[in-house]
Amino acid sequence: KESPAPITFIHGKAGCGKDTAYKIMEKYATEEISRFAFADYLKYIAYQAGWDGVKDEKGRKFLVSLGKVINQYNNNFFAKDLADDIQKMPGDKVITDLRFPREYHTVAKMLPHERIVLIKIFGRASDYGRTTDDVSERDITEDDIGRCFDFIIYNSGSYDEFENNIKYIVKELNL
């Protein structure tokens, strides 16, 4: 590879296609890539508390409430765990759920020598993403993180168009 393996953050509202984007990246990548999500740690705790794994309105409210409680106690808990896990893995990494500027800043600070790529996806938000006013569903702006997004995708067309946009990113990043 010509450049170091990037850490790619994907940002967008619920249902916009973040996990689908990762699956497409994985499909077209020539190297193995690893998926990470801040919410995976939250979901693990939620399962331990009896959550059934369903992300309907009740399940999402539970996850949001649980995340808020944990973040009030230690607002970098999820980001620090994720950054620690990223350091253990070789190769390309994709974080599929950038929701808060502090998550980006914590990971970037803990991994100062890593090449970071930011992707923002607009469109196709689920009903939950369109109707909630929770802070986890607000858009992160370039001002919030202090840098530009490397790629912005509008997921408002066909699946094939979305796939082609992600395929282009995979090629550009030499994944």
Side-chain angles (χ1 to χ4, degrees), residues 7-20:
I7 298 172
T8 302
F9 287 85
I10 302 176
H11 169 67
K13 292 187 177 186
C16 72
K18 296 180 300 291
D19 286 312
T20 301

Side-chain angles (χ1 to χ4, degrees), residues 75-92:
N75 74 352
N76 282 322
F77 175 77
F78 300 112
K80 286 181 179 176
D81 275 359
L82 186 135
D84 285 341
D85 285 349
I86 282 175
Q87 290 179 35
K88 298 173 189 170
M89 295 293 294
D92 302 320

